[in-house]
Amino acid sequence: MREMILLKQGEIVLKGMNRRAFEQKLEDNIKKALVGLPAYRMRSCQSTVYIEPEDGTDCSLYIDRLKKVFGIVNIVRAGAAPKDMEALLDFAPTYLENTLMQAKTFKVETKRADKKFPYNSPQISAMMGGKLLESFHHLRVDVDNPDVVVRVEIREKESFVHAGRIQGAGGMPVGTNGKALLLLSGGIDSPVAGHMTARRGVEIEAIHFFSYPYTSEAAKEKVLSLAKILTEYTGPMKVHLIPFTKQQLQIRDNCPEEHFTLIMRRIMMKIATEVAKRNHCHALVTGESIGQVASQTMWALGVTDPAADIPVFRPVIGMDKEEIITRARRIGTFETSVLPYEDCCTVFTPKHPTTRPKLFNILHSEEKLDVETMVREAVEGMDTVILGK
Ligand code: ATP
Ligand code: MG
């Protein structure tokens, strides 16, 4: 008995002319996601990618990883049979036995891609329904609300039977929509923001600022662990590590205390913009959400935003903390994010930060700094690692 995995593509099919390029990207990403697993065969046909493990390896092994590949709407585990009605009717009860033994009601749906097949879809459904009722006496047909939908697909080369689909990661294949630079802290929000952006097909690189000795080696390791989790969705990712202590001390020593955080965030944006440009990233991505902390009020965002002269995307801007946490749990970053850590943003935080800053005042406070040199030195001190290879 042959079993394979059918991956149904999502929005890709809407992309008209670019469709082949999109499919190619999806296949490349699937290959990367399955690196290290036993051999399999892969082919694409009619908006479906077929994965067939060789040597009878269990499909679950592959499915666990495929669930994280963007561009797949659903994943189906299907039994393959010859394109012959008798063979199909023989095969289905055995293949579906486990599923149907646990169900009380079912219905059959048929998709006939090959119009030359001697029976039409309603005939195939009726014959299959009859066969299943004959094989499992406890079953009843319920077309409105069945426990199980048995699907028969008559394709070009063979036919398939399956019952049940697994939800895929959705979105579009990473790499079909340019590249962005994610400002990745060790917190809960920024990994979620990165995941949401990658889900729209955007390749991600990450940048992290650290402040020895105020932040520890462990805090940096934690951020790398978070980035590593993201690579399960994005594929290999560059992480740029920026030593930021000197710049923070310069801000502390030259600027009013209540403006410290805002100026620091503006300098972070400027450094990130420079790193983005050097690495062909078209936008920055942050985990900011309106009103979450003093540096994320409307006024504060209005001051930090103009520091970057490329677009800044904030995918979680309108989400409540609870919603962000739910997503963080689902994508698997939450447990790591809540490990205790220090972040450079919490070093030297003012006792009374300005929550309604005016850009004019902040620019005035910034005048004493040699911003250009601060940015240049940060970029010169940068260390880049590639994760998830
Ligand atoms: P998060 O949970 O993502 O850490 P947060 O609610 O703690 O966010 P802030 O610490 O104000 O908020 O940071 C806001 C955003 O700035 C983060 O989501 C992240 O994109 C970026 N950021 C903060 N600290 C760093 C850092 N050390 N390196 C890179 N980016 C950072
Ligand atoms: Mg943070």
Side-chain angles (χ1 to χ4, degrees):
M1 190 162 64
R2 285 169 56 221
E3 191 174 48
M4 38 211 282
I5 305 164
L6 277 49
L7 305 169
K8 310 280 178 164
Q9 296 167 10
E11 282 177 64
I12 294 186
V13 291
L14 303 175
K15 293 293 162 194
M17 286 176 53
N18 293 328
R19 176 161 163 182
R20 190 54 213 145
F22 271 62
E23 278 178 350
Q24 188 58 54
K25 201 72 189 174
L26 180 60
E27 284 180 27
D28 292 348
N29 294 350
I30 289 171
K31 273 188 211 146
K32 281 185 204 155
L34 298 181
V35 161
L37 293 185
Y40 60 90
R41 278 190 292 273
M42 172 161 79
R43 65 188 162 86
S44 285
C45 187
Q46 294 180 326
S47 309
T48 304
V49 181
Y50 297 78
I51 307 268
E52 182 172 9
E54 288 178 14
D55 311 322
T57 310
D58 188 346
C59 288
S60 334
L61 212 60
Y62 303 82
I63 290 175
D64 281 345
R65 296 206 194 166
L66 292 167
K67 278 193 224 163
K68 296 180 177 169
V69 177
F70 296 130
I72 298 171
V73 227
N74 53 56
I75 303 172
V76 171
R77 222 179 148 125
K83 260 171 62 173
D84 168 83
M85 202 59 220
E86 279 306 309
L88 196 55
L89 292 175
D90 267 357
F91 168 79
T94 322
Y95 178 67
L96 299 173
E97 185 173 4
N98 284 344
T99 314
L100 292 177
M101 285 308 285
Q102 292 167 37
K104 290 197 180 71
T105 57
F106 79 108
K107 75 170 172 183
V108 182
E109 282 180 0
T110 300
K111 193 160 136 193
R112 190 181 58 141
D114 176 7
K115 301 295 176 207
K116 290 200 245 32
F117 194 72
Y119 304 98
N120 65 25
S121 299
Q123 289 170 328
I124 298 168
S125 295
M127 281 188 271
M128 181 57 76
K131 177 73 183 189
L132 295 176
L133 287 171
E134 191 185 298
S135 313
F136 302 96
H137 291 137
H138 71 284
L139 278 184
R140 293 282 166 271
V141 173
D142 180 347
V143 289
D144 298 321
N145 191 22
D147 295 339
V148 171
V149 180
V150 172
R151 290 191 168 84
V152 179
E153 297 186 35
I154 311 289
R155 296 276 184 160
E156 261 57 49
K157 294 200 176 69
E158 54 199 336
S159 58
F160 298 98
V161 184
H162 50 90
R165 33 171 92 144
I166 301 160
Q167 198 178 359
M172 294 194 255
V174 170
T176 54
N177 243 331
K179 189 160 66 168
L181 182 63
L182 168 69
L183 281 83
L184 184 64
S185 67
I188 297 169
D189 310 326
S190 45
V192 171
H195 179 269
M196 289 173 77
T197 307
R199 188 163 182 267
R200 297 309 299 165
V202 180
E203 192 185 333
I204 297 286
E205 291 190 10
I207 183 168
H208 176 67
F209 298 84
F210 65 95
S211 312
Y212 283 152
Y214 304 100
T215 64
S216 61
E217 181 66 30
K220 194 158 98 185
E221 286 304 318
K222 178 187 164 181
V223 171
L224 291 174
S225 308
L226 284 170
K228 190 79 199 296
I229 298 171
L230 287 178
T231 65
E232 292 169 21
Y233 302 88
T234 61
M237 185 199 291
K238 270 192 195 174
V239 183
H240 308 285
L241 299 162
I242 305 273
F244 198 44
T245 319
K246 188 173 169 193
Q247 288 77 357
Q248 287 192 296
L249 292 173
Q250 285 169 342
I251 300 168
R252 186 195 63 180
D253 296 341
N254 292 288
C255 305
E257 195 202 337
E258 68 273 21
H259 291 167
F260 174 83
T261 306
L262 287 166
I263 294 176
M264 178 195 69
R265 295 198 59 79
R266 283 177 51 83
I267 304 291
M268 284 169 87
M269 290 303 220
K270 285 184 191 286
I271 295 167
T273 302
E274 181 60 27
V275 173
K277 287 178 179 170
R278 289 184 183 207
N279 289 280
H280 313 286
C281 297
H282 313 299
L284 303 180
V285 177
T286 79
E288 289 163 309
S289 157
I290 293 175
Q292 206 186 75
V293 288
S295 59
Q296 295 174 29
T297 62
M298 282 299 284
W299 297 268
L301 290 169
V303 162
T304 43
D305 198 76
D309 62 6
I310 56 174
V312 182
F313 297 145
R314 301 177 174 87
V316 304
I317 192 77
M319 287 166 73
D320 291 348
K321 196 74 188 185
E322 276 310 310
E323 291 167 331
I324 302 174
I325 289 175
T326 304
R327 264 183 190 262
R329 284 190 200 278
R330 202 165 66 216
I331 67 175
T333 51
F334 182 76
E335 298 301 327
T336 306
S337 288
V338 293
L339 295 173
Y341 80 112
E342 332 79 40
D343 184 56
C344 72
C345 278
T346 51
V347 174
F348 314 131
T349 38
K351 277 191 213 72
H352 303 289
T354 317
T355 52
R356 292 197 176 200
K358 290 197 171 64
L359 184 57
F360 172 83
N361 293 333
I362 303 297
L363 289 175
H364 180 67
S365 300
E366 221 174 80
E367 268 168 11
K368 277 202 194 146
L369 299 172
D370 177 357
V371 175
E372 215 171 285
T373 305
M374 289 168 89
V375 172
R376 184 170 46 77
E377 286 182 351
V379 177
E380 280 168 5
M382 180 172 87
D383 185 19
T384 298
V385 294
I386 302 179
L387 298 178
K389 268 203 297 188

